[in-house]
Amino acid sequence: MQRKAYVPGVAALLAALLAGCTGGSEGGATADDSNPGQPGVATETVEPGKYRTLPEPCGVVGDKTLDALLPGIEEITDEEQREKAYAGEPTLAYDTDRKVGCRWKVESAEATDHLFVDFERVVSYDGAVSDDSEAEQLFAQQVEAADLPEPVVSDSGSAASDSPSGSSSLSAGAGESTDAGPSVEPPTGAGGTPSSSASASSSTGASPDETPAEVQPRLLDDLGDEAFVDDEPGNSGPTATRRTVTVAFRTSNVMVTIEYAEQSATLGVVPDSEEMQDKARKLASQLADSLSG
């Protein structure tokens, strides 16, 4: 009786297995190549992303670059503390092949500077979507979240600079390069007068809410596959003393974000927008080159 009861069960199991192995569409696709969501339908294989690993974030920024971004670092007299400042502090990472970052903070007599560098390697878990396409979608969400202002194109047709001045090094360099294209100007107020025409910097003494066209938040076309720069004072009014510049770019399936912030020690003096953007964009160019290499 036990044997009679056992044999039909084995037969049923074999029948189920054979049905799974032979089942498929009329086109002949097998289960091994089938889409998990649609049994028997073949899934087109997409190419994996260019990058399989990420750099060591605290080691990818050189000492000379940190000297330029964090001027107070050279003022640290204690050798051990200075080495610690150069080393940076890695952010908590559970998978260093997927997301890594590093932070630096240095105080000086004039200001306190903060630098944050973040790398994220995007991997698609959808067999029909490539890693690059997934990264492109995620970067589009990052651009949307930045809420960049709509540029106003002037009728003059003159070109505004959209490239960091000097060489790819953060040390002082030669003249600035410009992009061919119309200049971008801030919105105008009543009577056609510019409502944001002066730099929010200590050199001009203008309101921190005012930003000239060449340094307003915008998309960049000279960095990675796509990029943008954001620039915001940390607070408003006559006592504003902080500025944060963000440069983000995507290269294939890796997204890189740089946040460079400075808190002035002088009440009412906002750090210079153009200078901070120039330093952050040069660092971004260096990181893009290191990824390409």
Side-chain angles (χ1 to χ4, degrees):
M1 293 297 293
Q2 291 179 349
R3 182 178 178 81
K4 289 181 180 179
Y6 177 76
V7 172
V10 173
L13 176 61
L14 290 174
L17 292 173
L18 288 173
C21 292
T22 57
S25 65
E26 295 181 358
T30 65
D32 288 343
D33 296 325
S34 64
N35 188 327
Q38 298 180 354
V41 179
T43 301
E44 182 181 354
T45 303
V46 295
E47 289 292 328
K50 177 180 179 180
Y51 300 101
R52 305 295 182 89
T53 60
L54 292 172
E56 201 289 303
C58 294
V60 76
V61 183
D63 289 355
K64 290 185 178 179
T65 299
L66 292 173
D67 290 343
L69 288 161
L70 313 170
I73 203 167
E74 294 183 289
E75 299 177 6
I76 302 175
T77 56
D78 185 276
E79 184 176 352
E80 184 177 348
Q81 290 298 320
R82 188 167 62 251
E83 290 180 0
K84 185 178 179 180
Y86 276 117
E89 181 180 354
T91 57
L92 181 63
Y94 297 100
D95 185 351
T96 55
D97 284 336
R98 292 294 303 276
K99 189 175 178 64
V100 294
C102 191
R103 297 182 183 276
W104 293 262
K105 176 183 176 181
V106 177
E107 297 180 2
S108 69
E110 290 76 24
T112 299
D113 292 285
H114 304 257
L115 177 64
F116 171 59
V117 176
D118 178 82
F119 295 85
E120 180 177 359
R121 184 175 68 92
V122 178
V123 177
S124 172
Y125 292 102
D126 186 341
V129 179
S130 69
D131 294 345
D132 283 20
S133 297
E134 181 74 9
E136 185 177 2
Q137 294 177 21
L138 291 176
F139 193 80
Q141 295 174 13
Q142 191 173 351
V143 173
E144 183 178 2
D147 194 22
L148 305 179
E150 189 72 25
V152 178
V153 181
S154 69
D155 296 330
S156 63
S158 59
S161 173
D162 195 34
S163 300
S165 62
S167 64
S168 61
S169 169
L170 278 166
S171 59
E176 301 180 355
S177 60
T178 58
D179 294 331
S183 63
V184 180
E185 295 182 350
T188 56
T193 58
S195 59
S196 299
S197 59
S199 172
S201 66
S202 59
S203 60
T204 61
S207 167
D209 292 331
E210 298 178 345
T211 307
E214 63 270 16
V215 293
Q216 67 175 292
R218 63 203 181 278
L219 296 174
L220 304 174
D221 58 9
D222 60 346
L223 182 63
D225 294 327
E226 50 186 335
F228 70 87
V229 58
D230 199 4
D231 186 333
E232 294 183 358
N235 42 20
S236 59
T239 61
T241 59
R242 183 182 177 91
R243 179 176 297 281
T244 300
V245 171
T246 301
V247 177
F249 68 92
R250 178 184 69 85
T251 297
S252 185
N253 63 317
V254 168
M255 302 193 303
V256 181
T257 302
I258 297 169
E259 290 183 3
Y260 179 39
E262 184 169 287
Q263 180 82 38
S264 175
T266 305
L267 189 65
V269 175
V270 183
D272 184 74
S273 180
E274 184 175 4
E275 180 182 1
M276 290 187 64
Q277 282 193 31
D278 191 54
K279 290 180 179 180
R281 293 182 62 190
K282 285 176 181 176
L283 173 57
S285 295
Q286 291 178 6
L287 298 183
D289 290 344
S290 70
L291 287 171
S292 300

